Amino acid sequence: MTKTTKRIIETAERLFYNDGFNITGVDLIRDEAKCSKTTMYKNIGNKDDLTLSVLKNRDEKFRRSLSSFVGDKARDFEAVSKIFEWHKNWFQDIGFNGCLFVRASYELQNKNADIYQAIMDHKDWVRGFIEERISNEYIQNGVSESIVTLLEGLISLHSVYEDKDIRDSYSKSSLKMVKIMMDSSKD
């Protein structure tokens, strides 16, 4: 990826994340990325191509960051705790504005099959990542699906609630629920 392409994608990601996909026009992206429209289209293509590039780039960063944070050795509740901790750190970022993939799905209403597939690939990867780190009995008992559901709920709740105590309470309760589910799956 050229420096120019990277700059365009990073600029578009920031603008899409802060302001939304529909409201952010290519002219603003071009101006913020400090390039010509010709350069932008030559390096990226149209807005759908740019959106797809942004989502793929974000997905790659997400995967690297979460994988690195959790590590290769953590398993079962230790791994899930680390996954929740990574998310909590993300929620505390100054610029946290929810999940870009959910927002893309909502705003773009799955009108582009490639974009929709990138969204689904990301969400499927998260589930798969969790399942790689927990025992088979938890997968068979639906614990991995519950973990994904709890994480998605936390992303939404942290997007809505400004009160840190409320957000922390939801995070702690969710992790306690995971522990209860995992413990009851052993019986």
Side-chain angles (χ1 to χ4, degrees):
M1 177 183 316
T2 67
K3 287 182 183 180
T4 302
T5 302
K6 183 177 179 181
R7 186 176 68 246
I8 294 167
I9 290 171
E10 288 175 352
T11 300
E13 180 180 347
R14 176 178 49 82
L15 292 169
F16 290 156
Y17 191 63
N18 291 336
D19 303 327
F21 291 89
N22 291 330
I23 201 166
T24 303
V26 291
D27 290 341
L28 177 61
I29 296 167
R30 177 205 63 213
D31 293 347
E32 293 273 328
K34 297 178 177 29
C35 68
S36 69
K37 198 175 257 188
T38 303
T39 299
M40 197 165 108
Y41 284 110
K42 183 177 137 194
N43 282 276
I44 301 291
N46 62 29
K47 189 173 179 184
D48 280 351
D49 296 331
L50 178 57
T51 299
L52 183 59
S53 294
V54 164
L55 292 174
K56 286 183 174 184
N57 186 61
R58 181 130 176 149
D59 179 59
E60 287 176 25
K61 290 188 296 186
F62 183 97
R63 291 178 188 211
R64 272 194 317 271
S65 179
L66 184 58
S67 296
S68 174
F69 188 86
V70 173
D72 293 331
K73 294 185 175 145
R75 292 288 177 256
D76 295 328
F77 188 71
E78 178 188 5
V80 174
S81 294
K82 286 185 171 200
I83 292 168
F84 273 71
E85 184 180 349
W86 183 92
H87 278 80
K88 183 178 178 183
N89 292 338
W90 174 40
F91 301 153
Q92 293 173 350
D93 281 352
I94 298 277
F96 177 74
N97 197 18
C99 176
L100 189 63
F101 297 91
V102 170
R103 292 178 62 205
S105 178
Y106 175 76
E107 285 188 49
L108 305 175
Q109 299 181 358
N110 306 328
K111 291 178 183 169
N112 180 298
D114 293 333
I115 292 171
Y116 178 71
Q117 189 61 54
I119 294 165
M120 294 309 303
D121 289 347
H122 174 76
K123 294 302 181 180
D124 288 343
W125 181 86
V126 172
R127 181 187 38 77
F129 181 77
I130 291 166
E131 290 180 350
E132 287 174 7
R133 281 156 176 82
I134 62 175
S135 300
N136 222 16
E137 65 192 271
Y138 300 131
I139 298 167
Q140 291 170 351
N141 290 326
V143 174
S144 58
E145 293 171 357
S146 296
I147 293 168
V148 171
T149 302
L150 288 168
L151 284 172
E152 289 295 327
L154 286 174
I155 293 168
S156 294
L157 290 167
H158 279 76
S159 299
V160 173
Y161 286 101
E162 293 181 12
D163 186 309
K164 183 185 179 318
D165 293 336
I166 292 172
R167 295 187 322 214
D168 286 349
S169 177
Y170 278 117
S171 293
K172 288 176 186 172
S173 295
S174 294
L175 196 53
K176 283 181 189 175
M177 181 57 67
V178 170
K179 180 77 169 130
I180 290 167
M181 286 186 292
M182 290 179 115
D183 288 347
S184 69
S185 288
K186 290 180 183 178
D187 297 336

